Structures are given as structure tokens and as C-alpha cells.
Amino acid sequence: MATRDSWISNIGFVLAAVGGAAGLGNIWRFPWLTAGNGGSAFLIVYLLVVVGIGVPGLLAEFVLGRRGRQTPTAALRSLTGSRWGSWLGAFNVLTTLVILSFYSVVGGWILRYTLVSPVGAYFGQPQQYFGSISFGLGAVGFHLLFLGIVAGIVFFGVSRGIERVSKVMLPGVVLILLGLAGWTATQPGTAAGYTFYLSFDADYLAANFLNVIGPAAGQALFTLSLGAGVMLTYASYLDDSASLPRDTLVIAVSNTFIGVLAGLVVIPLLFSQGVDPGQGGPGALFVALATAFATLPGGSLVATAFFATVLMAAVTSGISLLETPVATLVDSFGVPRRQATVLVSALLAVTGSGLALTSSVFQFVSGTLADLLLTVGLFAFTVIVGWLLRDEALAEFRAGTGRFEWVARPWLLTVGWVLPVVVLFLLTNTLASLAGMSLGLAGRAIIAVIGTVALAVAVGRERLGKALGSH
């Protein structure tokens, strides 16, 4: 088997993990989902999901990663002692491939906008420009170029590639966003945008809760890279001295800060230009902001800085997604890293090209399918940590923990019972919406509770059977 790489420093791991999470999910996806789902109503639900589900779920994935010391397929089979662990790991790898297939298409859009922003190529007719470049052979070409950049970094490994690039790019993203947020605050007409974004609207939330909770939860999972095995893979390179609870808090807070900061740039700027922030879907960032940049003094310079920032964030997230399937080939099959990178990239070149040619398929994959895959993956992780491992999970949690040790048992209780119910509710909510079923809030909650209890009983019987069989 090939020699396994590792992080040079803990700060390198933290920056890489934040960079892996804080990418297009925060700067491309978060603002238009927030704008299209009530602004502050979406923001408050999103923050609650991050705290209640994201933090304990991310910590669970870190525990699995460091305990397993391998990528999802091998780690989950070893930890569960069952073949279905391998299938779950393969499901996680598939999830990363699905996400990166559309992610690299959007990365290609960002790359193109970064290159043409200095001359304001899209200022005259932003809607028509985006329509002409978003899908088609041109989009395929830029998807391949973006994928090549990401693959080139992963090609050199964890310490020499991913860690070094993350240490430079992530601070750059934060600094430029801070500068843009300060500049946006000086623009006329932004007050309405800040009100929409930051003033809590209880009436809107009460009337639209079921419509808001799904996108907010999906965004939280997407932006924290939960349920795909990405963070499991990153944590597998950690040593026992790292405090998983501390690193989890730093990563979750940093990631959330970057998302909220991106909203402080995008949403007030749209209001200042009289642009409806809820229109445009995946293309809203490009069309609406292009309209704003075109009317501003020095707009081409601001546009270049903005899209260069988004490009850096997209690259760091693309790296984390590509690392999981590449590391799986390295760990499980002994394929040399460079050869594995080429093989996986070749597959993604094909799948991403297909999405770059078809708008309807792209929107389904980047929205509903991605959210479903991540939700199923996170549910499986909570079952393994909270019900199957238990004592092993507590031991891994406590290694290097220090003053956070008292959190161990409350965390395990949350992962074992609260998270499965909430995540199963989210899954039921998404499936019911897809099927056009009207279950209501109470009906979906009852299904989530009954489903969790039934699965807990089944897992308990399996554990008991194994225990009796070993004596």
C-alpha cells in the first residue's frame, strides 16, 4: 500500500477544513438561497441548524475519520465490522463525485468571470452573457480548466499540495470579503438590504417554515461538507494530540462567519441597485451582481476582486471533494496518488461535461440530489457513532480533548438520538415534497420519531446478537 500522507500542522488541517467547507456553498449558494427564502428567516433557521446539527454532526464525522485512519470505504468497514460499511463508504465516495461534477461546472463559470471582469465583458448585457456561457461547449472547456487546477493541487498530496495552498487562499478569501463588505456599506440604498438580511421576520417564518427548513438544512450540510465523507477523510490524517471538539468549533464558526460575510456583500449590494435578490436561482450571483458592478465607479476592479475571491474559495472546496475519491484509491487499492488523481479527474471530466451541456439535469443534481445524498450520509454517520461505536466514539472524542471532556456524553446523546430524529425529519420533508405529498409538520415529525426508534431497536438487536455470538 502507498505511504500515507499527513498534515504538517494542526493549523494546516483547520485551514484546509475551513477552506474545504467555505467555498461556493457560502459565496455562490448561500446568498441566493437566503434571498429566495425570506432573508433573515432563512438566516436564523440556517444558524440554528448549524449549531444543532452541523456542529455535533461534524464532530461525529471527525471521530469516525480519526478512529478509522482511512478513507470512508475502508474506515467504515473496519469500524462497523460489516460489509455494509464498505457500501456506505462507497456511497460517500459517489456523493463527492456527484457534487464535484456540478461544482466544477460552477467553478468554470467563476473562472471565466474572473478572467473577463477586468474588461467588463458582461457589463452590457449580463443576463444574455450568462445565458450564452453557462451551458454548452464553452462551459465544458472552462469546467475542464477548473478541474485541472484542482487536480494539479491534489496531485502533490496533503502536506505539499492541499495544506500549502489552503494556508494562502483561505486568509485571502476572508480579507477580500471583509474589504468588499466594508465597501458595500458605503453604497447608497443598502439599508433595505441589511433590514431584509438581518431583521428577523417571525411572520414569514411562521407561514413558510416547511419551505424554509429544507433549503436551510441542505445548505448547512452542503457548506460544512457533512455526509459526504470529506471531513472524515481530512480527519483521518490527524494525530491523537488534536482536540476534535476545539477544531470542530473553530471550523464551524469560521465557515459560518464567511457565509454571513458573503451575504453582507451580495444582498445589500443587490438592494442598492434595485435588483430583486430572489430571482435567477443558480445564476443570480452572476447576473444580479454583474448588473450592480456595471453601474458602479471602478466596477471592473471590484468585479475582478470579487470573482477572484470566489474562485479561490471554489478551488479550496474542490480540493476537499477530490481528495476523498483519490485517497480511497490510494488507501484501499494501493494506487499511487498521482495516478489516482488522473483517473478520478478523467471520470469527473466526463460527468461534469455532461452537466455542463444540460441545464435541467444540472439544476436537479446541484439541488435536490446533492441535498438528499448528504442527508442520507449524515444519518448513517449518526447511527454508526451514536449506536454502534458508543464507547469507542467516546474514547476518540476524549483523545487530546482537554477542557472539553465534559461535553463527551451530552454530545454522544445528541448524536445518538437528537440528530437521527432531526435528520430523518429533513429527509422525510424532502421526499414528501418531491412526491407532492401533504403530510404536515406533525406527520413528518411522527414519521421521523417512529423511524428512529424502530432503527434503534433493530441496531440494538444486532449488537445483542453479536455479543451473544462472541461468547
Side-chain angles (χ1 to χ4, degrees):
M1 180 178 289
T3 302
R4 205 158 197 272
D5 207 342
S6 62
W7 303 109
I8 296 174
S9 63
N10 186 252
I11 189 64
F13 158 70
V14 171
L15 288 174
V18 174
L24 292 180
N26 275 333
I27 305 177
W28 164 62
R29 205 171 187 254
F30 178 75
W32 66 261
L33 280 178
T34 303
N37 289 279
S40 60
F42 179 92
L43 178 62
I44 191 66
V45 174
Y46 167 76
L47 293 176
L48 290 173
V49 173
V50 168
V51 173
I53 299 177
V55 171
L58 181 59
L59 186 48
E61 197 161 336
F62 282 163
V63 164
L64 287 174
R66 193 170 68 177
R67 191 71 177 181
R69 299 288 185 189
Q70 298 177 86
T71 46
T73 305
L76 294 176
R77 176 161 187 168
S78 173
L79 292 171
T80 62
S82 173
R83 183 175 295 179
W84 69 263
S86 296
W87 287 107
L88 175 59
F91 177 84
N92 294 146
V93 174
L94 174 64
T95 300
T96 62
L97 292 172
V98 168
I99 293 175
L100 190 51
S101 294
F102 76 79
Y103 208 95
S104 62
V105 176
V106 182
W109 298 346
I110 298 291
L111 178 59
R112 187 164 190 163
Y113 269 74
T114 303
L115 294 176
V116 303
S117 286
V119 297
Y122 49 84
F123 283 1
Q125 296 180 310
Q127 180 72 55
Q128 290 85 342
Y129 183 86
F130 180 75
S132 67
I133 65 97
S134 54
F135 298 98
L137 293 179
V140 170
F142 277 92
H143 143 67
L144 295 175
L145 184 55
F146 176 83
L147 183 61
I149 294 171
V150 171
I153 297 169
V154 174
F155 191 81
F156 289 102
V158 174
S159 57
R160 292 190 299 132
I162 298 172
E163 185 168 351
R164 287 181 180 177
V165 170
S166 297
K167 284 180 176 178
V168 175
M169 283 192 174
L170 184 65
V173 168
V174 175
L175 287 174
I176 296 174
L177 278 177
L178 282 171
L180 288 171
W183 172 83
T184 299
T186 67
Q187 301 306 302
T190 56
Y194 291 120
T195 299
F196 174 76
Y197 185 43
L198 301 176
S199 297
F200 179 53
D201 188 345
D203 292 337
Y204 181 92
L205 184 58
N208 298 277
F209 178 75
L210 287 177
N211 293 326
V212 172
I213 183 65
Q219 172 63 18
L221 267 60
F222 185 88
T223 191
L224 286 172
S225 296
L226 285 177
V230 170
M231 292 303 171
L232 186 158
T233 301
Y234 269 19
S236 72
Y237 300 115
L238 279 174
D239 58 40
D240 291 333
S241 65
S243 171
L244 296 183
R246 179 198 62 204
D247 291 348
T248 298
L249 284 175
V250 171
I251 291 165
V253 170
S254 301
N255 173 74
T256 304
F257 170 74
I258 292 173
V260 173
L261 187 58
L264 287 172
V265 175
V266 176
I267 294 176
L269 187 57
L270 298 181
F271 272 86
S272 75
Q273 301 302 312
V275 177
D276 182 354
Q279 292 183 352
L285 176 72
F286 304 93
V287 176
L289 283 181
T291 302
F293 291 145
T295 63
L296 298 171
S300 60
L301 180 61
V302 177
T304 302
F306 178 81
F307 284 114
T309 303
V310 182
L311 179 61
M312 286 192 291
V315 169
T316 56
S317 288
I319 291 167
S320 69
L321 290 164
L322 183 57
E323 175 62 18
T324 297
V326 167
T328 298
L329 291 181
V330 173
D331 284 354
S332 300
F333 301 97
V335 179
R337 169 171 284 273
R338 296 184 176 185
Q339 183 179 341
T341 304
V342 171
L343 290 173
V344 176
S345 299
L347 174 62
L348 288 166
V350 175
T351 56
S353 295
L355 295 181
L357 293 171
T358 314
S359 173
S360 58
V361 177
F362 172 89
Q363 294 207 36
F364 172 77
V365 172
S366 64
T368 304
L369 181 59
D371 289 349
L372 278 173
L373 293 176
L374 293 173
T375 306
V376 171
L378 179 59
F379 183 79
F381 289 158
T382 62
V383 169
I384 294 172
V385 171
W387 299 346
L388 290 180
L389 297 184
R390 292 186 182 175
D391 293 340
E392 292 178 66
L394 283 174
E396 195 62 49
F397 179 102
R398 287 170 171 149
T401 296
R403 65 179 181 274
F404 289 101
E405 185 175 354
W406 66 273
V407 183
R409 289 200 175 275
W411 163 77
L412 187 64
L413 181 64
T414 300
V415 172
W417 289 103
V418 179
L419 257 64
V421 171
V422 176
V423 175
L424 194 55
F425 170 83
L426 296 173
L427 187 60
T428 303
N429 188 55
T430 301
L431 292 175
S433 298
L434 279 175
M437 298 173 63
S438 180
L439 296 175
L441 179 62
R444 299 175 200 205
I446 290 171
I447 291 174
V449 172
I450 293 176
T452 299
V453 172
L455 188 56
V457 171
V459 172
R461 286 179 177 175
E462 182 180 348
R463 283 171 56 89
L464 180 61
K466 285 185 178 180
L468 293 175
S470 63
H471 292 291

